[in-house]
Amino acid sequence: MTSKNNQLTSKQAWKALAANQKNGIPHLRDLFTKDPKRGEKMTLEAAGLFLDYSKNRITDETFRLLLNLATESGLKDHIDAMFNGEKINITENRSVLHVALRAPKNASIIVDGVNVVPQVHEVLEKMTDFADRLRSGSWKGYSGKRIRNIINIGIGGSDLGPVMAYEALKYYCDRSLTFRFVSNIDGTDFAEAVIDLNSEETLFIVSSKTFTTIETMTNALTARDWLLKAFKGDDKAIAKHFVAVSTNAALVEKFGIDTANMFGFWDWVGGRYSMDSAIGLATMLAIGPRNFRAMLDGFHQMDEHFRTAPFESNLPVIMGLLGIWNTNFYGAETVAVLPYEQYLKRFPAYLQQLTMESNGKHVTLDGVEVDYQTSPIYWGEPGTNGQHSFYQLIHQGTRLIPCDFIAFAEPLNNIGRHHDILMANVFAQAEALAFGKTPEQVRSEGVPEWLAPHKVFEGNRPSNTIMAQKLTPEVLGKLVALYEHIVFTQGAIWNIGSFDQWGVELGKVLAQRIIPELESKTEPEPRHDTSTNNLIRRYRKQRRSE
Ligand code: F6P
């Protein structure tokens, strides 16, 4: 590896930001006192989402310098390169065109001389036709029974998007259908998913971009065995109970799935950017084609906003820059994503792959080691549950944890006082984090001196609040696209390859070496380090003596 990269840190805007931070940004309490309009000024409404970013440790000058950083990093050219289908995934020589998945029919996006938009719509039509047949009951299982259970088998991007979207949009789902998602190689995942299901009424969607992923292929084979047991080994049943979503027609066919029942996508769709491709088939079956199209429309609205809005009023650009400010200038290690919407319970898990598999990189696009931090760790839980578990650390711990609060004006389940109380909590948390409680305030409440330090909240803890009217398929599309483009903005500025994932390979290769050592009937001679050798021997012994 060549020496450290200093291209980013020697940029004028970067140096100016470092100086701005070093000179001292006043406490949020003072920033709000000095500028009575701050809470209204540092907000933005675009594509139906509202962002309040006033509770970040920034001045007007910081904001201006952050925008300069985006400009000096050539962000506009990067955005155009992606939308124009240039091969910006350089280590895999691929275009990065998840934006084409939600482009309207009349759009044109050229890859290798071919407009890919008609192909996208052709697959959408095929998915729609299948979804209509399945939802209406005209697609039947091999014994003539209606399909009532759908199991998506996939992992990573072929699982997290479908699960998250299913949970997020459950309100809109056909409740006469049961959906399950099997991802883990741990047999428990499959066993529990089918435990109460009738195989004659069950359809498997095998979702895998490559159709080689060991977890998915092993689960798919187990599913085939489970199904065929009910049909006494008659493999003609497979055509009625298995469909595939993949870019690899040859391997789909080899597995025994009729390619007529295969829904394709393309190598220019990254796994973690694929929930709106055919990988979203389970989502479409659950919410119906019309709602799925509304979700795509939401994605597209955010794409257009990102592509065309000036940086100072561009939601993903602003949130991306604020993330860089917190990560690189304040040393924040993580970002907490805190949806105040129970249906978004899997949203933080979904974002973990999107953000960390994309920007968890240690070299620049030129292969030079970075001398700055890249992706922070994303995590989170829905509010208000998190308040009664880890918020203590966010409020009074020693670490700086920037938070993204996500909230909706209208509840989907409008029951009594619940929603007002929920919303009061999200607003209160952001307020408490920013303004805290001073020692003087604590003492003025008559708290004894020895107890006062424990009750002080230093405040000055940054957060964004994102609000939308209510959680709909369209809004979910906007939210996901917002984070996709935040990741893009940060990756472009950090000058890293956001669209490959070489970091997952080594473990996969080593596991392939170890599998035969665990399965071997005769005692193997493992040739790893002494720790791994010892663990392998111990496992073999314990497994045998079960
Ligand atoms: O192991 C990481 C990964 O390659 C992800 O990027 C991808 O989403 C996941 O595995 C699943 O891959 P596939 O869809 O090819 O089975």
Side-chain angles (χ1 to χ4, degrees), residues 155-158 207-213 216 265 271-272 279 353 357 501 504-505 508:
I155 196 164
S158 302
S207 295
S208 175
K209 182 175 168 181
T210 54
F211 233 69
T212 58
T213 306
T216 302
F265 61 116
R272 53 195 174 273
I279 289 290
Q353 188 198 15
E357 202 173 72
Q501 57 285 321
V504 302
E505 293 304 322
K508 288 186 192 172

Side-chain angles (χ1 to χ4, degrees), residues 418-431:
H418 287 252
H419 197 64
D420 288 341
I421 299 174
L422 178 73
M423 292 299 286
N425 272 279
V426 67
F427 298 148
Q429 290 301 323
E431 185 180 9

Side-chain angles (χ1 to χ4, degrees), residues 323 326-328 331-338 347-361 373-381 390 394 399-404 483 487 490 494:
N326 288 327
T327 301
N328 297 112
E333 299 272 349
T334 80
V335 175
V337 180
L338 307 165
F347 194 59
Y350 171 78
L351 287 187
Q352 288 184 323
Q353 188 198 15
L354 178 66
T355 57
M356 296 199 271
E357 202 173 72
S358 295
N359 282 344
K361 307 290 161 67
Q373 293 285 355
T374 59
S375 178
I377 297 152
Y378 277 74
W379 60 288
E381 278 289 320
F390 53 79
I394 306 182
R399 293 168 196 281
L400 186 71
I401 317 257
C403 300
D404 285 353
Y483 279 93
V487 167
Q490 296 181 338
W494 287 324

